């Protein structure tokens, strides 16, 4: 709920900023004289100036027209055909399609003092052509530089474990930070993603050794639990055999059968200890 209120406040502030800028600046008498002369010249040289005055922008483009340095009608033109006056009008084409770029790998220290290299990708588009032309000299280049700085600032407040396991929240924080900064430029950041996290080789070896040690510890615990279960089963079997002497003879014959099936060249006949004790006593 708090994030929604913040976004609404930001949108209100940006819209207020645009409304204040929408107040048209007067060209003055001299400016209107130049515009009238330009119109007369365009009409007088109509066959020639027709190709100079008619411009076309694509469906995904908008044109911001400047007349004597002032934005005409405070709104972009297009798509399709529009007209400009020779000598007094200039225009800038603005692409409204989504643009993606890679954030170069940034080396920085995490909150727990680990050096890592991280790169990412950003998707953004222009939602207000007037602001993207009038409020910043190069919206595309400025957004790229801001994305690099934001990546370092946001990841510098995270631990290594958070960086490796919680990329989604980090991307969301970066997107909010970029949106707040680029709203006045007419830029909408649609998505930010962390591509790759490169750790130092020594740290990779240490983490691998730690993971291997933890796996070995779990394996030993499982083996010990198996030994405990096996000893309990043997104890129960010995109690059953002690209750029935014939069961021991059957077990002996079963063991002989197993030995004869696997290694028929070697057969072991166990001698009962009681018989040996009888010979010793005699």
């Amino acid at each position: 709920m708090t994030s929604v209120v913040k976004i609404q406040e930001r949108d209100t502030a940006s819209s207020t900023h645009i409304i204040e800028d929408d107040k048209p600046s007067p060209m003055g008498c001299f400016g209107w004289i130049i515009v009238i002369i330009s119109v007369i010249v365009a009409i007088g040289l109509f066959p020639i100036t027709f190709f100079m005055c008619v411009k076309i922008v694509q469906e995904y483009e908008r044109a911001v027209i400047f007349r004597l340095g002032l934005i005409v009608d405070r709104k972009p033109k297009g798509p399709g055909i529009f007209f400009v006056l020779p000598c007094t009008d200039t225009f800038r084409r603005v692409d409204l399609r989504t643009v993606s770029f890679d954030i170069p790998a940034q080396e920085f220290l995490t909150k727990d003092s680990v050096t890592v290299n991280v790169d990412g990708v950003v998707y953004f588009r222009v939602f207000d052509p007037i602001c993207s032309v009038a409020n910043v000299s190069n919206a595309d280049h400025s957004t790229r530089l801001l994305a690099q700085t934001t990546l370092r600032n946001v990841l510098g407040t995270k631990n290594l474990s958070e960086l490796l396991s919680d990329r989604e929240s980090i991307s969301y924080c970066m997107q909010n930070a970029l949106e707040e900064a680029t709203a006045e430029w007419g830029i909408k950041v649609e998505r930010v993603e962390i591509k790759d996290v490169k750790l130092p080789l020594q740290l990779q070896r240490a983490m691998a050794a730690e993971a291997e040690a933890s796996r070995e510890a779990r394996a030993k615990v499982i083996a010990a639990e198996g030994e405990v279960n096996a000893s309990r089963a043997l104890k129960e079997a010995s109690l059953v055999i002690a209750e029935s002497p014939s069961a021991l003879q059957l077990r002996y014959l079963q063991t002989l059968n197993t030995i004869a099936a696997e290694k028929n060249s070697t057969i072991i006949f166990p001698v009962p200890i009681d018989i040996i004790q009888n010979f010793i006593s005699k």
Side-chain angles (χ1 to χ4, degrees):
M1 192 67 184
T2 305
S3 61
V4 174
V5 173
K6 289 182 179 179
I7 292 173
Q8 290 178 352
E9 291 178 355
R10 185 174 70 247
D11 293 341
T12 305
S14 61
S15 62
T16 304
H17 175 73
I18 294 172
I19 291 173
E20 290 178 357
D21 291 345
D22 283 345
K23 296 179 180 179
S25 301
M27 291 187 296
C29 295
F30 185 72
W32 281 109
I33 291 173
I34 295 177
V35 171
I36 292 172
I37 294 174
S38 178
V39 172
I40 294 173
V41 171
I43 295 174
L45 302 176
F46 174 71
I48 300 175
T49 56
F50 176 78
F51 299 99
M52 300 173 58
C53 296
V54 176
K55 304 296 180 181
I56 300 175
V57 292
Q58 304 296 330
E59 179 69 28
Y60 52 84
E61 294 177 335
R62 296 296 183 271
V64 180
I65 302 176
F66 293 89
R67 180 166 296 162
L68 296 179
L70 303 176
I71 298 177
V72 177
D73 297 334
R74 304 303 300 177
K75 62 181 180 180
K77 302 295 182 181
I81 299 175
F82 64 96
F83 298 91
V84 296
L85 297 177
C87 304
T88 60
D89 291 358
T90 59
F91 70 96
R92 288 270 303 272
R93 280 190 175 91
V94 180
D95 197 334
L96 303 182
R97 293 176 294 181
T98 299
V99 179
S100 63
F101 65 89
D102 293 329
I103 303 176
Q106 304 293 314
E107 184 176 1
F108 62 94
L109 285 175
T110 60
K111 190 176 181 180
D112 50 355
S113 300
V114 178
T115 303
V116 294
N117 286 331
V118 179
D119 56 359
V121 60
V122 177
Y123 300 87
F124 72 95
R125 62 179 176 84
V126 176
F127 73 91
D128 192 336
I130 299 294
C131 292
S132 66
V133 173
N135 293 350
V136 63
S137 61
N138 191 334
D140 181 85
H141 184 63
S142 300
T143 304
R144 293 172 186 268
L145 295 180
L146 183 62
Q148 297 179 23
T149 307
T150 305
L151 178 66
R152 298 174 66 92
N153 293 338
V154 172
L155 296 184
T157 61
K158 304 294 182 180
N159 296 325
L160 180 61
S161 58
E162 296 176 350
L163 179 60
L164 295 176
S165 61
D166 200 8
R167 295 190 182 185
E168 185 175 355
S169 64
I170 294 175
S171 300
Y172 182 74
C173 292
M174 286 186 58
Q175 182 177 351
N176 289 338
L178 287 175
E179 283 184 354
E180 291 179 359
T182 58
E184 295 183 357
W185 301 346
I187 300 295
K188 170 65 176 177
V189 178
E190 296 181 341
R191 192 176 183 88
V192 179
E193 293 292 341
I194 304 298
K195 290 178 60 177
D196 190 15
V197 179
K198 297 180 180 179
L199 302 177
L201 184 59
Q202 295 179 353
L203 181 60
Q204 294 180 14
R205 293 176 179 175
M207 294 178 66
E210 181 182 1
E212 184 177 0
S214 63
R215 287 194 297 269
E216 289 180 357
R218 288 196 299 270
K220 290 180 180 179
V221 170
I222 293 173
E225 292 177 354
E227 291 291 339
V228 172
N229 295 332
S231 62
R232 291 176 180 174
L234 289 175
K235 180 182 177 181
E236 294 176 359
S238 64
L239 294 176
V240 173
I241 292 175
E243 294 177 357
S244 177
S246 60
L248 180 61
Q249 186 67 23
L250 293 175
R251 180 60 180 166
Y252 166 67
L253 295 175
Q254 184 180 5
T255 304
L256 289 179
N257 187 22
T258 303
I259 295 174
E262 294 180 356
K263 297 180 180 180
N264 50 14
S265 61
T266 304
I267 299 178
I268 300 174
F269 293 94
V271 178
I273 298 177
D274 296 338
I275 298 176
I276 297 175
Q277 289 180 350
N278 292 333
F279 282 109
I280 293 173
S281 62
K282 290 181 180 180

